[in-house]
Amino acid sequence: MAIIVNLDVMMAKRKISLGELAEQVGITQANLSILKTGKAKAVRFSTLEKLCEVLDCQPGDILEYRKEDS
Amino acid sequence: MWTKTRSLMLSRVLTVGAAAAALVLMFFIPRFAEWYEEISVGRGVIGGSIAAPLTVTLFFTTLLFLAVLAALHILLSNISRGSVFTDSNTRCLRFISWACMLAGAAFFVFGLWRFIFMAAGAMAVFFGLIMRVLKNVFAAAVELKQDNDYTI
């Protein structure tokens, strides 16, 4: 997929674990893991908003567009 | 009180009952074919005895019927486990659709001996078509469910 999720980078910067983040955002660890590993097909604005709030960052810090080689 | 679980259980019991009845009736197919030949007054393109082709047709369609019941049993088991919109269920519906079409084709062939069986063939093909549409709806639902499951 051309959209890269840099959640692990942000989590490392903020020194927050998966469990802590999941709890603060209000989603399950399993769902957060799906998002972190790039398996997610879509992200709700409400989830993104909560992630940005907890991680104190911008959506662009979490999501990145990278052109795929065809 | 009537619940979803009891309804599923009834469907499963009826499926197993139908399979048992079909298995028992299979033993009487040759006798039924001979009896039908005696009383049949219909016509077809091919003349002569109809006992042998009717026996073959009924055996073939009964086997398909049993296979369809097995697919229905799998489908009902999956539903009772809570897995409704899955690839496995879509495959079951696809199989049922093709089995109905095949049964329809078998009745069409026997319609060469007795035209009336072409009506049964048309009905089976039409039912197969309905099942095919249902299978397409299920396939779309599986995709929607996957999208929903992977939306965080």
Side-chain angles (χ1 to χ4, degrees), chain B residues 82-86 139-151:
Chain B
S83 328
V84 182
F85 299 113
T86 61
V142 168
E143 244 176 74
L144 280 173
K145 191 185 176 294
Q146 276 174 356
D147 272 357
N148 189 48
D149 286 349
Y150 285 95
T151 297

Side-chain angles (χ1 to χ4, degrees), chain A residues 5-8 10-11 14 16-29 31-37 40 42-63, chain B residues 151-152:
Chain A
V5 182
N6 291 320
L7 196 60
D8 47 352
M10 279 314 294
M11 281 167 67
R14 300 289 182 257
I16 190 168
S17 71
L18 191 85
E20 273 178 277
L21 185 61
E23 200 188 319
Q24 287 184 47
V25 172
I27 59 173
T28 62
Q29 279 195 45
N31 276 346
L32 193 59
S33 179
I34 288 171
L35 187 61
K36 200 177 138 210
T37 50
V43 187
R44 288 189 189 93
F45 277 156
S46 56
T47 312
L48 194 59
E49 186 187 329
K50 239 358 196 147
L51 280 169
C52 290
E53 189 188 315
V54 174
L55 294 171
D56 188 27
C57 64
Q58 291 298 312
D61 297 326
I62 301 169
L63 303 172
Chain B
T151 297
I152 313 299

